[in-house]
Amino acid sequence: MPNTVIVGAQWGDEGKGKIIDVLTEDADVVVRYAGGNNAGHTVFVNGQKFVLHLVPSGILHKRKLCVIGNGVVVDPVGLVEEIQGLRKLGVRVDGNLVLSETAHIVLPYHRALDAQREALKGKNKIGTTRRGIGPAYADKAARVGLRVIDLMDAARFESKLRERIRENNGLLRALGAKPVPFKHVLGQYSAAAALLKPFVANTVQLLHKALRDGKSILFEGAQGTFLDIDHGTYPYVTSSNTTAGGACTGTGVPPNCIDRVVGVMKAYTTRVGEGPLPTEDAALGDLLHSLGREFGSTTGRPRRCGWFDAVVTRQAVMINGITELAVTNLDGLDTLPVIKVCIGYRHGKTKFDHVPSDTALLAQCEPVYAEFDGWQEPIGNARRWKDLPAKARAYLTAITDLTGAKLKIVSVGPDRRQTIFV
Ligand code: GDP
Ligand code: IMO
Ligand code: MG
């Protein structure tokens, strides 16, 4: 398999975990390149549900190397819990999971700052996952972050932590929040460090050796294109480059070693947290929620739902260099008589065929819709393109044509087997 980046083409939760799991079959290495445990990637295997936050979604395949790259921000205590949870479920993680020594770590003061800043913003909050992701990336950029390599050196970690906690507790107090207790954090993180030590490696060297050995690498994106710190609906974004470019900086693998980019998108649109969602439709949300669908994998929050937005996905195709598309959750639309697709925006007399950079303006844009006939039958058992109802095929062809990339995969249910290769 060519070295492949998997990227979310909307606002996250597109079904990347499921697609990664399916494609891992033909890959040797799976590497996460951005985000932290704000991500929640769901994989179903034989009816059993796994939600992965930091560990790559390839872990459920035996004998595949799974790497947490340098671009990820790692909560060591969360990672230990995730590893232990996987072990309990009988998933092998020892010898096939590797953690970059240069990944930055998330500390309790990051989480406390995240929560307090959100609380102080009131109705202007971002709606973060409160996992401390923003403050951890801010420290990385400010060159005051602690890395896995620091965590592995007890004396260095203690002294850096002492210094960082002093400053951050001052900040927390100034913001009206409780300081974090140094001794407790030191104890908790030192224990996690001991458990994580066997997983830590120089992942840049390891990935380049894999490349030299002719192994194929799958780059697992987290979040989605419009949550990207540069290309998303700022400030309603996460704090990393979630787009395809992040695959290089977040792993140390250069652009000329990447052969293809696969964009994952739902057959409709969802978003968790605040910020514009031009095609938002309460009735569609009610329908999906009544089916028990579209609740956040990390926070359990109901996701906001809307119609498929071709303006958004077309821009995602452009920014990421997506050549192939995986469309998921097509079965979510099974019962609808009419399905809408946004083909442009209108703001007063101005028309847009791209996502305007001004987030406030985007929030005021009215979608221009095209309408499609629904197929109104269950499609969860379809395994080949020709098993799909003609109206479902017409819908898929239309939405992928609008985005300008080729349809490669259609997902008609959460399980591995509910996948159609086009
Ligand atoms: P990710 O963050 O991109 O990996 O996506 P999430 O796992 O957060 O959310 C996607 C949700 O859709 C999960 O609950 C998946 O199990 C589910 N899912 C993925 N593909 C399909 C599909 O084709 N049909 C259905 N019904 N569920 C799907
Ligand atoms: P996966 O990888 C959906 C959203 C949050 C919030 C914003 C900023 O599962 O697709 P953060 O905690 O990152 O500072 O929150 O980004 N967000 C996600 N939404 N899927 C995700 O990850 C997300 N990770 C962050 O809801 O709006
Ligand atoms: Mg998710």
Side-chain angles (χ1 to χ4, degrees):
M1 194 179 76
N3 297 323
T4 303
V5 177
I6 303 288
V7 72
Q10 295 158 326
W11 276 279
D13 301 329
E14 295 91 347
K16 299 175 295 294
K18 166 172 173 169
I19 300 300
I20 292 276
D21 171 67
V22 168
L23 294 179
T24 298
E25 186 75 40
D26 298 322
D28 300 299
V29 182
V30 185
V31 54
R32 262 282 301 270
Y33 62 81
N37 59 359
N38 49 349
H41 296 178
T42 315
V43 181
F44 274 88
V45 185
N46 299 323
Q48 177 154 21
K49 181 178 177 177
F50 299 85
V51 183
L52 299 149
H53 299 287
L54 284 162
V55 173
S57 303
I59 199 75
L60 305 175
H61 289 262
K62 294 192 178 81
R63 289 183 292 278
K64 307 286 178 173
L65 184 66
C66 289
V67 178
I68 300 172
N70 59 274
V72 177
V73 286
V74 177
D75 177 339
V77 177
L79 180 57
V80 165
E81 275 169 22
E82 192 170 335
I83 288 172
Q84 286 169 344
L86 286 167
R87 280 192 189 125
K88 263 198 205 125
L89 293 170
V91 178
R92 180 172 170 239
V93 285
D94 299 287
N96 55 337
L97 176 67
V98 185
L99 169 62
S100 168
E101 59 191 7
T102 56
H104 278 247
I105 63 174
V106 180
L107 284 139
Y109 49 79
H110 294 134
R111 281 194 300 277
L113 285 168
D114 191 357
Q116 185 67 0
R117 286 192 181 126
E118 283 283 277
L120 292 174
K121 281 196 186 104
K123 68 175 179 37
N124 295 324
K125 69 179 194 290
I126 294 166
T128 73
T129 60
R130 301 188 174 216
R131 296 293 187 273
I133 305 300
Y137 276 117
D139 273 1
K140 176 179 177 175
R143 295 153 295 173
V144 291
L146 299 190
R147 304 189 294 173
V148 168
I149 204 163
D150 301 316
L151 182 66
M152 292 300 128
D153 178 330
R156 193 200 299 174
F157 180 67
E158 181 170 349
S159 105
K160 287 199 173 199
L161 182 70
R162 191 187 299 280
E163 181 204 319
R164 294 304 305 142
I165 281 196
R166 194 177 303 129
E167 179 182 315
N168 282 285
N169 277 350
L171 197 52
L172 282 166
R173 281 194 199 93
L175 292 172
K178 262 181 35 200
V180 299
F182 169 70
K183 276 221 167 102
H184 174 74
V185 177
L186 181 64
Q188 202 185 22
Y189 275 60
S190 303
L195 295 169
L196 292 177
K197 195 155 202 134
F199 297 93
V200 176
N202 181 327
T203 53
V204 174
Q205 294 299 325
L206 188 133
L207 290 168
H208 278 265
K209 177 167 188 319
L211 288 169
R212 284 195 302 276
D213 292 346
K215 301 261 190 329
S216 71
I217 304 181
L218 208 47
F219 298 81
E220 177 171 354
Q223 289 81 49
T225 301
F226 292 89
L227 290 173
D228 182 282
I229 181 93
D230 285 284
H231 301 290
T233 48
Y234 194 90
Y236 303 102
V237 293
T238 191
S239 300
S240 64
N241 284 117
T242 61
T243 42
C248 294
T249 53
T251 62
V253 174
N256 58 354
C257 290
I258 292 173
D259 307 305
R260 68 167 176 169
V261 182
V262 175
V264 185
M265 58 199 205
K266 276 181 178 146
Y268 45 90
T269 313
T270 64
R271 162 163 218 173
V272 231
E274 307 304 316
L277 177 59
T279 62
E280 187 162 15
D281 186 290
L284 182 61
D286 289 345
L287 168 73
L288 293 163
H289 294 145
S290 75
L291 298 170
R293 302 168 64 136
E294 303 308 346
F295 292 92
S297 320
T298 296
T299 57
R301 292 177 290 178
R303 295 177 183 146
R304 297 157 63 196
C305 301
W307 300 108
F308 186 83
D309 187 337
V311 181
V312 154
T313 45
R314 188 160 55 228
Q315 189 150 315
V317 163
M318 188 179 88
I319 288 169
N320 295 292
I322 294 169
T323 49
E324 296 173 19
L325 292 170
V327 176
T328 69
N329 286 273
L330 185 64
D331 55 307
L333 304 175
D334 279 355
T335 57
L336 294 169
V338 175
I339 303 172
K340 293 196 210 178
V341 171
C342 170
I343 52 170
Y345 301 145
R346 196 173 283 141
H347 183 263
K349 287 204 172 88
T350 314
K351 287 183 182 164
F352 288 96
D353 63 357
H354 62 274
V355 182
S357 310
D358 182 341
T359 303
L361 189 151
L362 175 64
Q364 294 165 357
C365 280
E366 290 291 332
V368 177
Y369 285 116
E371 292 192 350
F372 292 82
D373 288 340
W375 44 95
Q376 296 191 279
E377 57 177 288
I379 57 166
N381 291 325
R383 295 293 176 269
R384 293 163 303 178
W385 176 249
K386 64 177 188 200
D387 296 340
L388 288 171
K391 285 175 179 163
R393 282 181 281 166
Y395 177 72
L396 285 169
T397 305
I399 61 172
T400 48
D401 281 355
L402 282 167
T403 65
K406 261 194 8 217
L407 179 63
K408 196 71 185 177
I409 297 173
V410 182
S411 171
V412 294
D415 199 85
R416 250 183 211 172
R417 288 164 301 186
Q418 293 176 293
T419 309
I420 299 170
F421 286 88
V422 181

